[in-house]
Amino acid sequence: MLATQTPAPGQPQFGDDDPGIAYNRVFFGLLRVQRSLMPEIEKSLRELGIPDPIWYEILYAVEQAGENGVQMLSLQDRLAIPQYALSRHVARMERAGLIRRESVPGAGRGQNLHLTEMSVGLQDRVWQVYVARIQAAIGPHMTTDEAYDLVRYLNRLYG
């Protein structure tokens, strides 16, 4: 059995000359994981009538907001999506009958988003697609404790 040495904290690994390259490795590793999972997820979502994965995030945020709905500006910040892109998705979702807009009194052009009858329960069906695909792809490669540790690290990046 080969003995493996753990490098001293802060020292380069993976043959890198600069330990700062570790941050680049994290970024590109996350991109590769995302790119490997999304095609299958997107295919399954299209079968449910969801042409873009961001629609799930929008539906979920609107559902979480409850009967008062969620303001577009708040949603834009939460999803880290430009206003023009969010407006485009919301318009398409509205045409598809999944959400409705309501003007916010005294808020200029402010709008709240609400679920329609057609979208009630859709978020749960979409979630099952994510659960199945993500757990099948990631579960065999890490323990749940490792997954929770990774979540804590990732939350620090955008929290």
Side-chain angles (χ1 to χ4, degrees):
M1 183 166 151
L2 292 174
T4 58
Q5 276 189 322
T6 302
Q11 293 303 304
Q13 299 180 41
F14 298 98
D16 297 335
D17 293 329
D18 174 4
I21 295 299
Y23 304 119
N24 298 70
R25 288 184 178 281
V26 167
F27 177 79
F28 287 106
L30 291 170
L31 283 179
R32 282 189 290 277
V33 168
Q34 190 264 351
R35 282 194 307 259
S36 70
L37 291 176
M38 288 313 293
E40 193 67 30
I41 289 171
E42 288 170 348
K43 179 183 176 201
S44 296
L45 293 180
R46 282 191 300 274
E47 292 169 3
L48 290 176
I50 304 294
D52 192 301
I54 195 73
W55 285 27
Y56 165 76
E57 293 184 65
I58 294 169
L59 286 172
Y60 183 65
V62 175
E63 182 178 68
Q64 280 189 315
E67 66 183 50
N68 293 327
V70 64
Q71 283 197 345
M72 290 276 288
L73 185 59
S74 170
L75 189 57
Q76 177 185 332
D77 292 341
R78 175 180 174 167
L79 299 179
I81 184 172
Q83 182 274 328
Y84 70 89
L86 178 60
S87 292
R88 186 175 62 237
H89 287 296
V90 166
R92 290 176 181 157
M93 293 175 75
E94 190 173 33
R95 282 193 301 273
L98 298 176
I99 57 175
R100 66 178 173 78
R101 298 184 221 205
E102 185 177 281
S103 294
V104 177
R109 296 186 335 177
Q111 298 176 336
N112 277 354
L113 301 179
H114 300 271
L115 295 179
T116 63
E117 289 241 357
M118 182 182 205
S119 63
V120 172
L122 178 59
Q123 181 272 334
D124 292 331
R125 292 191 310 272
V126 171
W127 177 242
Q128 291 310 308
V129 168
Y130 278 99
V131 167
R133 299 287 187 250
I134 292 168
Q135 290 183 7
I138 296 175
H141 302 287
M142 65 174 46
T143 67
T144 55
D145 286 337
E146 290 169 330
Y148 281 124
D149 288 342
L150 182 56
V151 168
R152 279 188 274 283
Y153 291 128
L154 293 173
N155 284 344
R156 290 187 346 209
L157 294 177
Y158 69 89

